Amino acid sequence: MRFLFVISFLCCFNMFSQEDIVAAEYYKNGDFEKALLSYKKLYNKSPNNNTYLLQLVKSLQQLEKYQEAETLLLEQISRVNYPPLLIELGYNYQLQNNIINAETYYESALKTIDQNPNFVFVVGKAFEDRSLLDQAITAYEKAMVLKPDLNFNVQLARIYGDQGNVEKMFESYLNFVELNDSYINTIKRAFSEFISENSDNKNNVLLKRILLKKIQTDQNLLWNEMLSWLFVQQKDYNKAFTQEKAMFFRQPESLDRIEELAHIALADKAYQVALDIFTYLTETAQDLDTKLKAYYNLIEIKTQLATKEEYNSILSEYKAVFDAYGTHTKTLFIQISYAHFLAFYKHEPNQAVSVLKQSLELPLNSFQEAGVKLELGDVLVLQEKFNEALIYYTQVQRNLKNSTLSQEARYKVAKTSYYKGDFKWAESQLKILKSSTSQLIANDALDLMLLITDNKYEDSTQTALKLYAKADLMAFQNQTDNAIELLDEILTNHKGKTIEDQALFKQAQLFEKNQEYHRAEANYQAIITNFSDDILADDAYFFLAELYRKKLNQPEKAKELYEKIVFNYQDSIYFVDARNNFRSLRGDAIN
């Protein structure tokens, strides 16, 4: 008997579910007559189901049958204590422009919260569903006064945002996160829709003012964190650093946030601020790892900014680190950096090889050993000792199969073979790397493979491709001027060949490295004009836009080029950055 009851119940439930779906679909598609009939059937079968009643009422309102809707609502209100019915009746009057009666019933719904504050959950939502936002605000605020453990600041913030009342939205979100600090990242994402990189943006100024006021009246470090975050969005890294130091001074538990800020500034090429922060870390950090990483980053930044006359000063900094902390496994990454500096900046590759071979004698794990061997291979490529370099790369590839380092080593094998002019072997390795788990390696592999495949058949002697590979090697060797001259030879003697746009692009990148920005501009423009349908067109648009924005101070020209990418190159890897930069230059808030 029980089994039959269960089967019967499930069949009835399934039937109701199907009818409900059909009715909802009618309503969604604007077929209100059929929706009305469907909801009438459902309501007649379940007269206590307020959901069916309300959908029935909405169908009647769509058909302007307000009197019939009113009769149904009044009848249900007399039987059931369900405040959203009062709101729906008020809204029914509002649809008929009877504002006095509408307000009366809205007020009646709000009074139910006085009787039972928990009614706010259905009352507030019902007001929101009907876009009665002022009444929803009143409902949530009333409930929080009557029952202080209720927190509707998120709902209030969302409503204020919809109304365009940004100040109250900020305050409501901050009131919420003060009691629920685990939601701080959610709040930051919500704020990011209203602020921009421009510190003079009115919403940025408003949020800054609110946070400064809270900092003055409340010792909660949360406000310093939020202010630091705002400064980072504005790229005011010095001001963010001030806030982070204030937080660390009061709560000296971890330097992780300050270290993260240093890397954000470095990634944005705010070198002076990054130098200041890493210097602070060397002076403040107690644990050796943090201190050594800070020293490493300091020297790396100084190397990027240094003139040749300052290289000896950088050598002294390496020596000071090794004198203070030794040459053991803890400083291995600084030893590798030192060897790279000797080879690629001081042009002392033999000494670099000696340093790296000494590092290999340390008790290294397989990943540490791989890092040394990859650098050693690079130095040997610099010396054009290709076969010896390939031995080290291949060892890494075989010893750490399926790891990212193994894939990096395979890419270096391909690149070295390409430098040698062994394009067939390079191509075979690059085909494998197209599906690398590292997106960066996969992209680089695809770019190099396309370069080879696009140019190897045009000339049986592959003269232009060999010259290009030689120029590429010179660029790797930091022989920038020689590489530019060799690319000039390609552009003069192989004009009209497939490789021309590649040579223009590579040369433009080298012009930028030499700070010859107008020459780089001319090359990018030549690609846009003459090779607009080729694979490097979006690269040329993007890099020229970056040049105008960052170096040539021509934001309007940059904006036009970013816009071209947004509308014409949706599949480009630069699409997201181009869209964000375009919006930023236009003055939009960037999520």
Side-chain angles (χ1 to χ4, degrees):
M1 188 70 181
R2 180 180 295 174
F3 176 74
L4 290 173
F5 173 78
V6 170
I7 292 295
S8 175
F9 172 79
L10 288 174
C11 287
C12 290
F13 177 80
N14 186 57
M15 182 179 70
F16 270 98
S17 176
Q18 289 296 325
E19 289 177 358
D20 196 345
I21 292 169
V22 169
E25 196 65 23
Y26 283 142
Y27 189 89
K28 178 183 173 183
N29 293 333
D31 199 342
F32 301 118
E33 289 284 1
K34 288 182 180 178
L36 178 62
L37 292 173
S38 296
Y39 281 121
K40 271 184 179 177
K41 287 180 184 177
L42 287 165
Y43 177 61
N44 288 335
K45 291 175 184 176
S46 299
N48 292 322
N49 188 318
N50 288 310
T51 301
Y52 291 150
L53 173 73
L54 289 172
Q55 283 302 116
L56 176 55
V57 167
K58 288 177 182 177
S59 299
L60 288 165
Q61 289 168 344
Q62 290 290 346
L63 296 166
E64 299 184 7
K65 297 181 179 182
Y66 303 119
Q67 191 58 52
E68 195 175 335
E70 180 182 340
T71 301
L72 277 169
L73 287 165
L74 286 169
E75 183 183 327
Q76 191 80 335
I77 288 167
S78 68
R79 295 191 304 108
V80 179
N81 183 18
Y82 187 59
L85 297 172
L86 297 168
I87 296 168
E88 196 57 47
L89 183 55
Y91 189 72
N92 198 62
Y93 283 122
Q94 185 170 321
L95 289 172
Q96 300 171 76
N97 293 319
N98 188 341
I99 304 304
I100 294 174
N101 272 348
E103 293 291 346
T104 300
Y105 280 100
Y106 296 153
E107 193 59 39
S108 297
L110 289 168
K111 284 178 181 176
T112 65
I113 298 172
D114 293 319
Q115 302 160 20
N116 182 354
N118 289 327
F119 273 142
V120 70
F121 292 98
V122 290
V123 170
K125 186 176 185 308
F127 279 131
E128 284 195 70
D129 287 346
R130 283 307 195 179
S131 297
L132 300 165
L133 301 184
D134 289 333
Q135 290 85 348
I137 290 169
T138 303
Y140 291 131
E141 289 180 343
K142 180 192 281 275
M144 287 195 293
V145 170
L146 293 169
K147 194 174 179 182
D149 60 328
L150 292 174
N151 187 346
F152 292 104
N153 278 298
V154 166
Q155 288 89 338
L156 287 168
R158 189 179 61 246
I159 294 169
Y160 287 133
D162 289 342
Q163 291 181 325
N165 191 335
V166 177
E167 182 172 7
K168 284 199 169 184
M169 181 205 70
F170 283 154
E171 287 174 345
S172 295
Y173 273 131
L174 292 173
N175 289 340
F176 173 80
V177 81
E178 185 174 10
L179 300 173
N180 303 271
D181 59 6
S182 62
Y183 286 89
I184 188 166
N185 289 329
T186 303
I187 301 307
K188 288 174 183 176
R189 283 195 294 273
F191 283 180
S192 68
E193 296 184 16
F194 292 86
I195 64 168
S196 76
E197 291 180 1
N198 180 5
S199 59
D200 295 326
N201 176 285
K202 64 179 182 179
N203 291 340
N204 293 49
V205 173
L206 188 58
L207 180 56
K208 178 183 171 183
R209 191 178 74 226
I210 293 169
L211 290 168
L212 286 172
K213 186 176 179 181
K214 283 187 173 291
I215 288 170
Q216 291 163 5
T217 57
D218 182 2
Q219 293 301 300
N220 194 335
L221 289 176
L222 183 67
W223 313 132
N224 298 85
E225 181 179 346
M226 288 299 304
L227 189 56
S228 174
W229 172 82
L230 174 61
F231 288 141
V232 169
Q233 308 315 300
Q234 297 172 178
K235 302 184 184 295
D236 289 336
Y237 301 117
N238 260 323
K239 293 178 181 177
F241 183 32
T242 300
Q243 294 303 317
E244 294 295 338
K245 283 191 290 185
M247 285 188 281
F248 181 75
F249 180 76
R250 286 175 50 198
Q251 203 172 76
E253 293 177 2
S254 169
L255 285 161
D256 288 351
R257 289 181 55 84
I258 293 178
E259 191 174 5
E260 182 184 0
L261 177 61
H263 285 290
I264 291 171
L266 177 56
D268 203 33
K269 298 184 179 179
Y271 294 122
Q272 189 53 56
V273 186
L275 284 170
D276 292 342
I277 301 174
F278 283 123
T279 300
Y280 176 83
L281 289 168
T282 63
E283 297 166 350
T284 311
Q286 297 300 307
D287 69 292
L288 184 59
D289 284 346
T290 302
K291 197 179 282 282
L292 288 174
K293 282 188 286 184
Y295 276 120
Y296 165 81
N297 282 294
L298 271 176
I299 296 174
E300 287 284 310
I301 296 169
K302 288 178 180 178
T303 301
Q304 286 188 56
L305 302 177
T307 61
K308 289 181 180 179
E309 290 72 27
E310 294 169 314
Y311 286 170
N312 286 335
S313 171
I314 289 171
L315 281 178
S316 298
E317 296 208 27
Y318 277 116
K319 186 176 185 303
V321 171
F322 295 135
D323 287 346
Y325 303 103
T327 51
H328 46 73
T329 54
K330 286 277 188 182
T331 60
L332 180 67
F333 63 105
I334 301 180
Q335 294 169 49
I336 294 171
S337 170
Y338 175 53
H340 186 86
F341 179 78
L342 286 171
F344 288 86
Y345 291 87
K346 286 292 288 177
H347 304 296
E348 297 175 5
N350 290 331
Q351 193 176 342
V353 169
S354 176
V355 168
L356 291 166
K357 287 186 173 177
Q358 286 175 29
S359 296
L360 283 175
E361 293 174 8
L362 296 171
L364 308 177
N365 64 40
S366 55
F367 286 93
Q368 290 172 321
E369 182 181 307
V372 177
K373 286 184 175 180
L374 288 177
E375 185 62 41
L376 189 49
D378 289 352
V379 175
L380 291 166
V381 169
L382 174 72
Q383 295 177 288
E384 301 188 31
K385 296 179 179 179
F386 300 126
N387 292 334
E388 198 176 342
L390 286 169
I391 291 170
Y392 284 107
Y393 292 147
T394 304
Q395 285 174 359
V396 174
Q397 187 183 326
R398 288 175 179 168
N399 293 342
L400 293 172
K401 286 181 179 177
N402 301 320
S403 70
T404 303
L405 278 178
S406 174
Q407 292 168 17
E408 184 181 347
R410 186 186 289 274
Y411 178 71
K412 287 178 181 288
V413 167
K415 196 77 184 272
T416 304
S417 301
Y418 153 77
Y419 288 146
K420 285 176 64 181
D422 188 353
F423 302 126
K424 187 175 181 181
W425 179 247
E427 195 175 7
S428 70
Q429 299 302 298
L430 294 166
K431 282 179 181 175
I432 298 169
L433 285 168
K434 281 194 306 176
S435 56
S436 169
T437 52
S438 164
Q439 192 60 50
L440 185 62
I441 292 173
N443 288 341
D444 287 345
L446 180 61
D447 287 344
L448 184 55
M449 192 183 80
L450 289 173
L451 170 70
I452 294 170
T453 54
D454 285 352
N455 294 285
K456 69 178 182 179
Y457 296 117
E458 192 170 40
D459 176 6
S460 59
T461 62
Q462 299 173 341
T463 305
L465 185 56
K466 287 174 182 175
L467 284 172
Y468 185 91
K470 179 66 176 174
D472 211 349
L473 175 62
M474 286 177 173
F476 176 76
Q477 294 168 323
N478 271 346
Q479 297 182 47
T480 307
D481 292 337
N482 291 337
I484 288 171
E485 285 181 19
L486 193 52
L487 290 165
D488 266 335
E489 184 180 330
I490 295 171
L491 292 169
T492 302
N493 298 331
H494 299 273
K495 196 166 184 63
K497 297 290 179 67
T498 310
I499 207 161
E500 185 179 355
D501 60 335
Q502 295 278 0
L504 283 166
F505 187 78
K506 184 71 179 179
Q507 195 180 55
Q509 301 269 280
L510 296 174
F511 283 143
E512 284 200 59
K513 185 177 178 182
N514 274 359
Q515 299 182 10
E516 297 177 80
Y517 300 127
H518 288 292
R519 296 183 76 183
E521 176 190 11
N523 275 34
Y524 291 134
Q525 195 60 60
I527 296 170
I528 289 168
T529 302
N530 302 314
F531 303 94
S532 59
D533 296 327
D534 287 0
I535 195 166
L536 287 175
D538 61 321
D539 300 74
Y541 274 115
F542 183 77
F543 281 93
L544 182 54
E546 293 282 280
L547 194 62
Y548 283 138
R549 182 169 69 97
K550 294 179 178 178
K551 301 298 182 183
L552 299 177
N553 194 28
Q554 297 186 56
E556 285 303 314
K557 283 190 176 182
K559 188 167 72 171
E560 288 174 16
L561 294 171
Y562 289 132
E563 189 176 21
K564 293 265 189 190
I565 296 171
V566 170
F567 287 106
N568 300 331
Y569 299 94
Q570 285 91 345
D571 294 334
S572 170
I573 60 171
Y574 307 111
F575 175 80
V576 173
D577 287 337
R579 181 182 61 190
N580 288 343
N581 292 339
F582 171 70
R583 289 177 177 175
S584 176
L585 289 171
R586 197 171 61 181
D588 299 355
I590 305 299
N591 294 349

